[in-house]
């Protein structure tokens, strides 16, 4: 058995087992609920993101229905794909077993990957497509094989259909290739054919954006105002320093690439991408897709030093990279049941403050159960003419997915993509409102009955103490009222 395959099976088994345990615990994250809802409204684009994650959600529905572990397996498989590609890139760069081992353990030791490869979000696929694109481009430059160039086009095209941050890879790598044989690659017609193929793959989403007045611009504007404006240059750099072992390997890999004329383009591309994200105040995790190729190069560089010593030193270095960080895995993927995790934190249950990711996994079943109890209390006529209105996509997504078990009607919401799916029943007799505050309800309805303010001790702050109400007597023109919210759907 080849060394690469053996290492993948060994390291991949460790990573896979950790995720298979963590994927089953707690509950759906609010973003996962949105993605799964989009999977039942397949299109070439959505208000918040391109369509790839919805396609995966549709496949998840087909294979696993509403299974938490089944849904999350897709992100885990993407993570295992990254591990394989890191080993393949290291092999392309000339690594033997020492370099492959160091590169592989860096994937295990990079703690953010445990979070990214647990949650069913575009992030894991983004990292996979970036790494696949680096591998295909590297292999094409080394072998001049058409298959690698086609693989590159597919990776870039699907990457853009998954997350628009793939544009950073295109720009950074496009500039970096100017330093490979003085830009000779741009004299090859085949590279433009690959670019056209990638564009054709992405084209349906461009058409969707055009026909929907470019909602991506509104989303980016809201993202800039609510999140990116708080990011600082130092904060972006500081966040890269919290994992010193993998950072050192990455920097060693960057240094090694910069000294090799045939690979210098990778170092320059990575540097350009990092600087672009730094000065645009991107979120820290946006830059994580550059690390796999650096792990591979770092493994090669360390091997040049380790080959002079006995194998035990290679094993010690690998252990020093990965072992110190195993303790922190429960912070990134829920391998511990919540009661054990609280003990792990050294806190009391009534005082615990979960991270936003974990907190966003709690409270949804309780909300849906309360909505069902209210729905069942209605008359048969009212049940047949009832609209469930959720304030945000997390609440709407929970009712959409978990409400199927109760037979609840599909909810409506004015938040994000839910707004595009409309207000449902044009003339309902009764509304069940989830999360909408009293002043909002008073502007819409004549009669409002707050049934309960629902809470959960572990839920995220915005889902604590939210009102659930039964409302009657619509005071607004429903189509006009719904349409008037178009400019506020990302609020």
């Amino acid at each position: 058995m080849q060394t690469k395959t053996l290492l993948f099976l060994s390291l991949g088994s460790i990573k896979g087992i950790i995720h298979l345990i963590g994927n089953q615990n707690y509950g759906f994250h609010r973003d996962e609920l949105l993605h799964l809802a989009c999977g039942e409204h397949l299109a070439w684009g959505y208000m918040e993101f391109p369509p790839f994650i919805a396609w995966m959600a549709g496949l998840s529905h087909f294979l696993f229905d509403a299974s938490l572990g089944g849904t999350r397996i897709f992100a885990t498989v993407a993570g295992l794909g990254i591990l394989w590609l890191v080993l393949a890139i290291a092999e392309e760069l000339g690594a033997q077993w020492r370099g492959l081992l160091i590169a592989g353990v860096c994937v295990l030791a990079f703690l953010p990957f445990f979070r990214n490869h647990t949650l069913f979000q575009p992030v894991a696929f983004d990292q996979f497509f970036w790494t696949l694109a680096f591998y295909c481009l590297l292999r094409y430059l080394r072998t001049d094989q058409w298959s690698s160039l086609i693989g590159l086009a597919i990776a870039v095209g699907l990457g853009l259909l998954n997350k628009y941050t793939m544009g950073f890879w295109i720009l950074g790598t496009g500039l970096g290739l100017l330093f490979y044989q003085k830009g000779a690659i741009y004299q090859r017609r085949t590279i433009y054919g690959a670019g056209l193929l990638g564009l054709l793959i992405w084209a349906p989403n461009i058409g969707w954006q055009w026909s929907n007045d470019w909602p991506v611009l509104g989303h980016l504007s809201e993202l800039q105002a609510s999140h990116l404006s708080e990011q600082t240059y130092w904060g972006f750099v500081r966040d890269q320093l919290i994992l010193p072992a993998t950072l050192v390997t990455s920097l060693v890999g960057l240094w090694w690439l910069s000294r090799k004329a045939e690979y210098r383009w990778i170092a320059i591309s990575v540097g350009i991408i990092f600087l672009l994200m730094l000065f645009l105040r991107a979120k820290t995790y946006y830059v994580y897709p550059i690390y796999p190729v650096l792990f591979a190069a770092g493994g090669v560089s360390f091997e040049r030093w380790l080959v002079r010593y006995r194998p035990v030193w290679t094993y010690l270095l690998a252990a020093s990279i990965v072992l110190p960080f195993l303790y922190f895995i429960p912070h990134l993927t829920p391998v511990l049941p919540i009661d054990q995790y609280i003990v792990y934190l050294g806190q009391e249950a009534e005082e615990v403050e979960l991270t936003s990711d974990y907190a966003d996994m709690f409270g949804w079943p309780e909300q849906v159960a309360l909505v069902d109890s209210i729905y069942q209390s209605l008359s048969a006529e009212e049940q047949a003419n009832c609209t469930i209105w959720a304030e945000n996509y997390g609440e709407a997504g929970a009712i959409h997915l978990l409400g199927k078990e109760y037979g609840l009607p599909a909810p409506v919401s004015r938040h994000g993509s839910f707004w595009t799916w409309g207000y449902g029943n044009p003339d309902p007799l009764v509304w069940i409102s989830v999360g909408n505050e009293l002043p909002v309800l008073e502007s819409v309805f004549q009669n409002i009955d707050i049934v309960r303010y629902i809470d959960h001790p572990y839920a995220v702050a915005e889902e604590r103490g939210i009102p659930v109400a039964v409302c009657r007597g619509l005071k607004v023109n429903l189509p006009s009222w719904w349409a008037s919210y178009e400019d506020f759907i990302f609020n």
Side-chain angles (χ1 to χ4, degrees), residues 2-8 11 83-107 295-303 306 314 318:
Q2 292 184 345
T3 302
K4 179 178 67 176
T5 304
L6 182 61
L7 275 173
F8 173 74
L11 299 176
L83 173 60
W84 174 262
L85 287 170
V86 166
L87 297 174
I89 292 171
E91 192 173 58
E92 287 291 324
L93 295 174
Q96 301 298 317
W97 73 267
R98 290 177 175 85
L100 293 172
L101 177 61
I102 299 303
V105 298
C106 282
V107 176
F295 294 157
V300 176
S301 182
F302 272 123
E303 184 172 63
L306 291 167
T314 301

mmCIF file of all heavy atoms in Angstrom, residues 2-8 11 83-107 295-303 306 314 318:
data_model
loop_
_atom_site.group_PDB
_atom_site.id
_atom_site.type_symbol
_atom_site.label_atom_id
_atom_site.label_comp_id
_atom_site.label_asym_id
_atom_site.label_seq_id
_atom_site.Cartn_x
_atom_site.Cartn_y
_atom_site.Cartn_z
ATOM 1 N N GLN A 2 0.538 2.225 -0.828
ATOM 2 C CA GLN A 2 1.318 3.456 -0.896
ATOM 3 C C GLN A 2 1.285 4.207 0.432
ATOM 4 O O GLN A 2 0.301 4.161 1.167
ATOM 5 C CB GLN A 2 0.778 4.363 -1.992
ATOM 6 C CG GLN A 2 0.989 3.839 -3.402
ATOM 7 C CD GLN A 2 0.508 4.827 -4.433
ATOM 8 O OE1 GLN A 2 -0.227 5.766 -4.131
ATOM 9 N NE2 GLN A 2 0.925 4.634 -5.668
ATOM 10 N N THR A 3 2.387 4.919 0.709
ATOM 11 C CA THR A 3 2.484 5.677 1.960
ATOM 12 C C THR A 3 1.365 6.695 2.072
ATOM 13 O O THR A 3 0.758 6.861 3.137
ATOM 14 C CB THR A 3 3.851 6.382 2.027
ATOM 15 O OG1 THR A 3 4.889 5.409 1.933
ATOM 16 C CG2 THR A 3 3.979 7.154 3.336
ATOM 17 N N LYS A 4 1.073 7.374 0.958
ATOM 18 C CA LYS A 4 0.016 8.398 0.979
ATOM 19 C C LYS A 4 -1.322 7.786 1.369
ATOM 20 O O LYS A 4 -2.053 8.330 2.206
ATOM 21 C CB LYS A 4 -0.078 9.061 -0.394
ATOM 22 C CG LYS A 4 -1.176 10.120 -0.488
ATOM 23 C CD LYS A 4 -1.195 10.777 -1.856
ATOM 24 C CE LYS A 4 -1.614 9.803 -2.928
ATOM 25 N NZ LYS A 4 -1.741 10.444 -4.256
ATOM 26 N N THR A 5 -1.651 6.656 0.773
ATOM 27 C CA THR A 5 -2.922 5.994 1.066
ATOM 28 C C THR A 5 -2.978 5.525 2.511
ATOM 29 O O THR A 5 -4.001 5.683 3.195
ATOM 30 C CB THR A 5 -3.136 4.809 0.113
ATOM 31 O OG1 THR A 5 -3.071 5.268 -1.231
ATOM 32 C CG2 THR A 5 -4.475 4.137 0.370
ATOM 33 N N LEU A 6 -1.887 4.945 2.989
ATOM 34 C CA LEU A 6 -1.836 4.465 4.367
ATOM 35 C C LEU A 6 -2.007 5.609 5.357
ATOM 36 O O LEU A 6 -2.754 5.497 6.339
ATOM 37 C CB LEU A 6 -0.515 3.735 4.613
ATOM 38 C CG LEU A 6 -0.315 3.129 6.011
ATOM 39 C CD1 LEU A 6 -1.392 2.093 6.296
ATOM 40 C CD2 LEU A 6 1.070 2.516 6.130
ATOM 41 N N LEU A 7 -1.327 6.719 5.088
ATOM 42 C CA LEU A 7 -1.459 7.873 5.980
ATOM 43 C C LEU A 7 -2.869 8.447 5.940
ATOM 44 O O LEU A 7 -3.416 8.845 6.975
ATOM 45 C CB LEU A 7 -0.442 8.950 5.579
ATOM 46 C CG LEU A 7 0.961 8.809 6.164
ATOM 47 C CD1 LEU A 7 1.895 9.836 5.541
ATOM 48 C CD2 LEU A 7 0.942 8.951 7.677
ATOM 49 N N PHE A 8 -3.460 8.497 4.748
ATOM 50 C CA PHE A 8 -4.821 9.011 4.653
ATOM 51 C C PHE A 8 -5.781 8.144 5.448
ATOM 52 O O PHE A 8 -6.646 8.652 6.172
ATOM 53 C CB PHE A 8 -5.262 9.082 3.194
ATOM 54 C CG PHE A 8 -6.712 9.434 3.038
ATOM 55 C CD1 PHE A 8 -7.148 10.735 3.261
ATOM 56 C CD2 PHE A 8 -7.657 8.469 2.694
ATOM 57 C CE1 PHE A 8 -8.491 11.065 3.140
ATOM 58 C CE2 PHE A 8 -8.991 8.795 2.563
ATOM 59 C CZ PHE A 8 -9.412 10.093 2.793
ATOM 60 N N LEU A 11 -4.847 8.816 9.373
ATOM 61 C CA LEU A 11 -5.231 10.138 9.860
ATOM 62 C C LEU A 11 -6.708 10.415 9.576
ATOM 63 O O LEU A 11 -7.402 11.027 10.395
ATOM 64 C CB LEU A 11 -4.358 11.208 9.208
ATOM 65 C CG LEU A 11 -2.854 11.104 9.481
ATOM 66 C CD1 LEU A 11 -2.087 12.168 8.695
ATOM 67 C CD2 LEU A 11 -2.556 11.225 10.968
ATOM 68 N N LEU A 83 -7.841 16.631 3.426
ATOM 69 C CA LEU A 83 -6.719 15.833 3.932
ATOM 70 C C LEU A 83 -6.052 15.074 2.788
ATOM 71 O O LEU A 83 -4.817 15.069 2.664
ATOM 72 C CB LEU A 83 -7.202 14.871 5.009
ATOM 73 C CG LEU A 83 -6.186 13.850 5.533
ATOM 74 C CD1 LEU A 83 -4.979 14.546 6.150
ATOM 75 C CD2 LEU A 83 -6.838 12.903 6.533
ATOM 76 N N TRP A 84 -6.850 14.415 1.942
ATOM 77 C CA TRP A 84 -6.288 13.682 0.818
ATOM 78 C C TRP A 84 -5.538 14.615 -0.136
ATOM 79 O O TRP A 84 -4.430 14.300 -0.602
ATOM 80 C CB TRP A 84 -7.396 12.948 0.061
ATOM 81 C CG TRP A 84 -6.903 12.295 -1.196
ATOM 82 C CD1 TRP A 84 -6.999 12.779 -2.472
ATOM 83 C CD2 TRP A 84 -6.208 11.047 -1.305
ATOM 84 N NE1 TRP A 84 -6.427 11.913 -3.371
ATOM 85 C CE2 TRP A 84 -5.927 10.838 -2.679
ATOM 86 C CE3 TRP A 84 -5.808 10.088 -0.373
ATOM 87 C CZ2 TRP A 84 -5.260 9.712 -3.140
ATOM 88 C CZ3 TRP A 84 -5.142 8.949 -0.847
ATOM 89 C CH2 TRP A 84 -4.879 8.773 -2.208
ATOM 90 N N LEU A 85 -6.104 15.763 -0.418
ATOM 91 C CA LEU A 85 -5.468 16.700 -1.346
ATOM 92 C C LEU A 85 -4.171 17.268 -0.773
ATOM 93 O O LEU A 85 -3.212 17.494 -1.522
ATOM 94 C CB LEU A 85 -6.439 17.833 -1.680
ATOM 95 C CG LEU A 85 -7.597 17.453 -2.605
ATOM 96 C CD1 LEU A 85 -8.626 18.572 -2.662
ATOM 97 C CD2 LEU A 85 -7.080 17.132 -4.007
ATOM 98 N N VAL A 86 -4.130 17.513 0.527
ATOM 99 C CA VAL A 86 -2.889 17.992 1.151
ATOM 100 C C VAL A 86 -1.783 16.962 0.961
ATOM 101 O O VAL A 86 -0.645 17.301 0.613
ATOM 102 C CB VAL A 86 -3.113 18.301 2.643
ATOM 103 C CG1 VAL A 86 -1.782 18.451 3.372
ATOM 104 C CG2 VAL A 86 -3.930 19.571 2.802
ATOM 105 N N LEU A 87 -2.106 15.700 1.178
ATOM 106 C CA LEU A 87 -1.115 14.641 0.965
ATOM 107 C C LEU A 87 -0.719 14.557 -0.510
ATOM 108 O O LEU A 87 0.459 14.364 -0.832
ATOM 109 C CB LEU A 87 -1.679 13.300 1.440
ATOM 110 C CG LEU A 87 -1.998 13.190 2.936
ATOM 111 C CD1 LEU A 87 -2.675 11.858 3.242
ATOM 112 C CD2 LEU A 87 -0.740 13.348 3.782
ATOM 113 N N ALA A 88 -1.698 14.727 -1.404
ATOM 114 C CA ALA A 88 -1.401 14.669 -2.837
ATOM 115 C C ALA A 88 -0.528 15.843 -3.270
ATOM 116 O O ALA A 88 0.400 15.679 -4.080
ATOM 117 C CB ALA A 88 -2.701 14.651 -3.633
ATOM 118 N N ILE A 89 -0.802 17.048 -2.739
ATOM 119 C CA ILE A 89 0.021 18.216 -3.072
ATOM 120 C C ILE A 89 1.439 18.028 -2.549
ATOM 121 O O ILE A 89 2.423 18.322 -3.246
ATOM 122 C CB ILE A 89 -0.608 19.500 -2.501
ATOM 123 C CG1 ILE A 89 -1.918 19.819 -3.232
ATOM 124 C CG2 ILE A 89 0.353 20.680 -2.622
ATOM 125 C CD1 ILE A 89 -2.714 20.949 -2.598
ATOM 126 N N ALA A 90 1.545 17.546 -1.314
ATOM 127 C CA ALA A 90 2.876 17.303 -0.751
ATOM 128 C C ALA A 90 3.645 16.307 -1.608
ATOM 129 O O ALA A 90 4.852 16.478 -1.855
ATOM 130 C CB ALA A 90 2.752 16.782 0.685
ATOM 131 N N GLU A 91 2.959 15.289 -2.095
ATOM 132 C CA GLU A 91 3.606 14.312 -2.963
ATOM 133 C C GLU A 91 4.039 14.959 -4.273
ATOM 134 O O GLU A 91 5.141 14.677 -4.779
ATOM 135 C CB GLU A 91 2.645 13.155 -3.226
ATOM 136 C CG GLU A 91 3.291 11.935 -3.865
ATOM 137 C CD GLU A 91 2.313 10.774 -3.937
ATOM 138 O OE1 GLU A 91 1.241 10.934 -4.561
ATOM 139 O OE2 GLU A 91 2.628 9.706 -3.393
ATOM 140 N N GLU A 92 3.204 15.817 -4.829
ATOM 141 C CA GLU A 92 3.570 16.527 -6.053
ATOM 142 C C GLU A 92 4.803 17.400 -5.846
ATOM 143 O O GLU A 92 5.611 17.591 -6.764
ATOM 144 C CB GLU A 92 2.404 17.390 -6.537
ATOM 145 C CG GLU A 92 1.250 16.628 -7.151
ATOM 146 C CD GLU A 92 1.610 15.991 -8.478
ATOM 147 O OE1 GLU A 92 2.383 16.600 -9.254
ATOM 148 O OE2 GLU A 92 1.141 14.871 -8.730
ATOM 149 N N LEU A 93 4.931 17.943 -4.651
ATOM 150 C CA LEU A 93 6.065 18.810 -4.335
ATOM 151 C C LEU A 93 7.321 18.010 -4.003
ATOM 152 O O LEU A 93 8.380 18.605 -3.754
ATOM 153 C CB LEU A 93 5.722 19.734 -3.171
ATOM 154 C CG LEU A 93 4.602 20.762 -3.426
ATOM 155 C CD1 LEU A 93 4.262 21.509 -2.151
ATOM 156 C CD2 LEU A 93 5.000 21.733 -4.524
ATOM 157 N N GLY A 94 7.201 16.693 -3.967
ATOM 158 C CA GLY A 94 8.374 15.859 -3.748
ATOM 159 C C GLY A 94 8.491 15.225 -2.380
ATOM 160 O O GLY A 94 9.542 14.668 -2.041
ATOM 161 N N ALA A 95 7.429 15.256 -1.591
ATOM 162 C CA ALA A 95 7.506 14.722 -0.232
ATOM 163 C C ALA A 95 7.569 13.201 -0.242
ATOM 164 O O ALA A 95 6.942 12.537 -1.062
ATOM 165 C CB ALA A 95 6.308 15.187 0.588
ATOM 166 N N GLN A 96 8.328 12.648 0.707
ATOM 167 C CA GLN A 96 8.313 11.227 1.026
ATOM 168 C C GLN A 96 7.488 11.067 2.305
ATOM 169 O O GLN A 96 6.730 11.956 2.672
ATOM 170 C CB GLN A 96 9.739 10.710 1.177
ATOM 171 C CG GLN A 96 10.593 10.893 -0.080
ATOM 172 C CD GLN A 96 10.057 10.139 -1.284
ATOM 173 O OE1 GLN A 96 9.647 8.978 -1.158
ATOM 174 N NE2 GLN A 96 10.032 10.790 -2.447
ATOM 175 N N TRP A 97 7.648 9.956 2.994
ATOM 176 C CA TRP A 97 6.751 9.676 4.112
ATOM 177 C C TRP A 97 6.864 10.705 5.229
ATOM 178 O O TRP A 97 5.856 11.032 5.867
ATOM 179 C CB TRP A 97 7.015 8.258 4.644
ATOM 180 C CG TRP A 97 8.294 8.070 5.418
ATOM 181 C CD1 TRP A 97 9.495 7.671 4.932
ATOM 182 C CD2 TRP A 97 8.481 8.274 6.826
ATOM 183 N NE1 TRP A 97 10.440 7.612 5.927
ATOM 184 C CE2 TRP A 97 9.833 7.974 7.114
ATOM 185 C CE3 TRP A 97 7.649 8.687 7.867
ATOM 186 C CZ2 TRP A 97 10.372 8.079 8.392
ATOM 187 C CZ3 TRP A 97 8.184 8.782 9.139
ATOM 188 C CH2 TRP A 97 9.528 8.481 9.399
ATOM 189 N N ARG A 98 8.057 11.248 5.464
ATOM 190 C CA ARG A 98 8.207 12.241 6.538
ATOM 191 C C ARG A 98 7.394 13.503 6.229
ATOM 192 O O ARG A 98 6.656 14.013 7.077
ATOM 193 C CB ARG A 98 9.679 12.594 6.725
ATOM 194 C CG ARG A 98 10.543 11.493 7.331
ATOM 195 C CD ARG A 98 11.998 11.943 7.391
ATOM 196 N NE ARG A 98 12.851 10.970 8.060
ATOM 197 C CZ ARG A 98 13.407 9.918 7.451
ATOM 198 N NH1 ARG A 98 13.182 9.712 6.146
ATOM 199 N NH2 ARG A 98 14.177 9.077 8.116
ATOM 200 N N GLY A 99 7.561 14.004 5.013
ATOM 201 C CA GLY A 99 6.838 15.206 4.638
ATOM 202 C C GLY A 99 5.344 14.988 4.601
ATOM 203 O O GLY A 99 4.552 15.860 4.989
ATOM 204 N N LEU A 100 4.912 13.815 4.135
ATOM 205 C CA LEU A 100 3.494 13.503 4.103
ATOM 206 C C LEU A 100 2.903 13.453 5.502
ATOM 207 O O LEU A 100 1.792 13.952 5.748
ATOM 208 C CB LEU A 100 3.269 12.162 3.394
ATOM 209 C CG LEU A 100 3.591 12.130 1.892
ATOM 210 C CD1 LEU A 100 3.501 10.697 1.368
ATOM 211 C CD2 LEU A 100 2.657 13.032 1.110
ATOM 212 N N LEU A 101 3.653 12.868 6.436
ATOM 213 C CA LEU A 101 3.166 12.776 7.810
ATOM 214 C C LEU A 101 3.003 14.161 8.430
ATOM 215 O O LEU A 101 1.966 14.457 9.049
ATOM 216 C CB LEU A 101 4.124 11.931 8.647
ATOM 217 C CG LEU A 101 3.785 11.801 10.130
ATOM 218 C CD1 LEU A 101 2.423 11.145 10.328
ATOM 219 C CD2 LEU A 101 4.869 11.022 10.866
ATOM 220 N N ILE A 102 4.001 15.009 8.274
ATOM 221 C CA ILE A 102 3.932 16.355 8.860
ATOM 222 C C ILE A 102 2.780 17.146 8.236
ATOM 223 O O ILE A 102 2.000 17.813 8.931
ATOM 224 C CB ILE A 102 5.266 17.105 8.675
ATOM 225 C CG1 ILE A 102 6.400 16.370 9.381
ATOM 226 C CG2 ILE A 102 5.150 18.538 9.198
ATOM 227 C CD1 ILE A 102 6.179 16.143 10.859
ATOM 228 N N ALA A 103 2.635 17.066 6.916
ATOM 229 C CA ALA A 103 1.545 17.782 6.249
ATOM 230 C C ALA A 103 0.189 17.278 6.722
ATOM 231 O O ALA A 103 -0.727 18.063 6.998
ATOM 232 C CB ALA A 103 1.670 17.622 4.736
ATOM 233 N N GLY A 104 0.054 15.965 6.850
ATOM 234 C CA GLY A 104 -1.223 15.391 7.262
ATOM 235 C C GLY A 104 -1.613 15.736 8.678
ATOM 236 O O GLY A 104 -2.776 16.066 8.952
ATOM 237 N N VAL A 105 -0.660 15.681 9.605
ATOM 238 C CA VAL A 105 -1.008 15.985 11.002
ATOM 239 C C VAL A 105 -1.361 17.455 11.167
ATOM 240 O O VAL A 105 -2.098 17.818 12.088
ATOM 241 C CB VAL A 105 0.110 15.574 11.986
ATOM 242 C CG1 VAL A 105 0.353 14.082 11.940
ATOM 243 C CG2 VAL A 105 1.389 16.351 11.745
ATOM 244 N N CYS A 106 -0.848 18.310 10.282
ATOM 245 C CA CYS A 106 -1.224 19.732 10.357
ATOM 246 C C CYS A 106 -2.713 19.910 10.091
ATOM 247 O O CYS A 106 -3.361 20.791 10.684
ATOM 248 C CB CYS A 106 -0.408 20.557 9.371
ATOM 249 S SG CYS A 106 1.273 20.914 9.925
ATOM 250 N N VAL A 107 -3.282 19.098 9.198
ATOM 251 C CA VAL A 107 -4.719 19.174 8.950
ATOM 252 C C VAL A 107 -5.483 18.796 10.214
ATOM 253 O O VAL A 107 -6.497 19.422 10.561
ATOM 254 C CB VAL A 107 -5.120 18.255 7.779
ATOM 255 C CG1 VAL A 107 -6.628 18.259 7.578
ATOM 256 C CG2 VAL A 107 -4.412 18.684 6.499
ATOM 257 N N PHE A 295 0.524 23.787 4.376
ATOM 258 C CA PHE A 295 0.839 22.600 5.175
ATOM 259 C C PHE A 295 1.639 21.597 4.334
ATOM 260 O O PHE A 295 2.605 20.996 4.814
ATOM 261 C CB PHE A 295 -0.441 21.932 5.676
ATOM 262 C CG PHE A 295 -1.229 22.736 6.661
ATOM 263 C CD1 PHE A 295 -2.586 22.507 6.840
ATOM 264 C CD2 PHE A 295 -0.627 23.715 7.426
ATOM 265 C CE1 PHE A 295 -3.324 23.233 7.760
ATOM 266 C CE2 PHE A 295 -1.356 24.466 8.347
ATOM 267 C CZ PHE A 295 -2.711 24.212 8.505
ATOM 268 N N ALA A 296 1.204 21.411 3.094
ATOM 269 C CA ALA A 296 1.900 20.466 2.209
ATOM 270 C C ALA A 296 3.343 20.913 1.973
ATOM 271 O O ALA A 296 4.285 20.113 2.069
ATOM 272 C CB ALA A 296 1.146 20.348 0.885
ATOM 273 N N ALA A 297 3.523 22.200 1.669
ATOM 274 C CA ALA A 297 4.871 22.713 1.427
ATOM 275 C C ALA A 297 5.719 22.679 2.700
ATOM 276 O O ALA A 297 6.914 22.374 2.660
ATOM 277 C CB ALA A 297 4.791 24.140 0.888
ATOM 278 N N GLY A 298 5.091 22.975 3.852
ATOM 279 C CA GLY A 298 5.816 22.907 5.112
ATOM 280 C C GLY A 298 6.297 21.502 5.413
ATOM 281 O O GLY A 298 7.413 21.303 5.931
ATOM 282 N N GLY A 299 5.468 20.496 5.089
ATOM 283 C CA GLY A 299 5.886 19.124 5.282
ATOM 284 C C GLY A 299 7.112 18.783 4.454
ATOM 285 O O GLY A 299 8.047 18.123 4.924
ATOM 286 N N VAL A 300 7.135 19.253 3.203
ATOM 287 C CA VAL A 300 8.288 19.014 2.333
ATOM 288 C C VAL A 300 9.532 19.674 2.910
ATOM 289 O O VAL A 300 10.623 19.079 2.952
ATOM 290 C CB VAL A 300 8.005 19.543 0.916
ATOM 291 C CG1 VAL A 300 9.241 19.375 0.029
ATOM 292 C CG2 VAL A 300 6.818 18.829 0.299
ATOM 293 N N SER A 301 9.388 20.908 3.351
ATOM 294 C CA SER A 301 10.537 21.632 3.891
ATOM 295 C C SER A 301 11.078 20.968 5.148
ATOM 296 O O SER A 301 12.306 20.791 5.292
ATOM 297 C CB SER A 301 10.136 23.085 4.193
ATOM 298 O OG SER A 301 11.242 23.816 4.674
ATOM 299 N N PHE A 302 10.196 20.581 6.069
ATOM 300 C CA PHE A 302 10.650 19.902 7.278
ATOM 301 C C PHE A 302 11.346 18.582 6.939
ATOM 302 O O PHE A 302 12.297 18.181 7.609
ATOM 303 C CB PHE A 302 9.473 19.653 8.224
ATOM 304 C CG PHE A 302 9.196 20.791 9.159
ATOM 305 C CD1 PHE A 302 7.952 21.406 9.192
ATOM 306 C CD2 PHE A 302 10.182 21.256 10.020
ATOM 307 C CE1 PHE A 302 7.695 22.456 10.055
ATOM 308 C CE2 PHE A 302 9.949 22.309 10.888
ATOM 309 C CZ PHE A 302 8.698 22.912 10.909
ATOM 310 N N GLU A 303 10.840 17.915 5.901
ATOM 311 C CA GLU A 303 11.458 16.642 5.528
ATOM 312 C C GLU A 303 12.912 16.824 5.103
ATOM 313 O O GLU A 303 13.766 15.965 5.389
ATOM 314 C CB GLU A 303 10.673 15.990 4.400
ATOM 315 C CG GLU A 303 11.187 14.613 4.027
ATOM 316 C CD GLU A 303 10.273 13.920 3.043
ATOM 317 O OE1 GLU A 303 10.131 14.448 1.916
ATOM 318 O OE2 GLU A 303 9.697 12.879 3.407
ATOM 319 N N LEU A 306 14.577 16.772 8.393
ATOM 320 C CA LEU A 306 14.403 15.551 9.195
ATOM 321 C C LEU A 306 15.084 14.344 8.593
ATOM 322 O O LEU A 306 15.423 13.397 9.312
ATOM 323 C CB LEU A 306 12.910 15.253 9.350
ATOM 324 C CG LEU A 306 12.111 16.221 10.229
ATOM 325 C CD1 LEU A 306 10.619 16.003 10.029
ATOM 326 C CD2 LEU A 306 12.482 16.049 11.699
ATOM 327 N N THR A 314 11.064 12.484 13.489
ATOM 328 C CA THR A 314 9.889 12.825 12.680
ATOM 329 C C THR A 314 8.608 12.570 13.470
ATOM 330 O O THR A 314 7.687 13.396 13.484
ATOM 331 C CB THR A 314 9.871 12.006 11.382
ATOM 332 O OG1 THR A 314 11.065 12.277 10.642
ATOM 333 C CG2 THR A 314 8.652 12.361 10.537
ATOM 334 N N ALA A 318 5.821 15.318 14.671
ATOM 335 C CA ALA A 318 4.399 15.156 14.345
ATOM 336 C C ALA A 318 3.556 15.172 15.609
ATOM 337 O O ALA A 318 2.493 15.815 15.661
ATOM 338 C CB ALA A 318 4.188 13.849 13.572
#
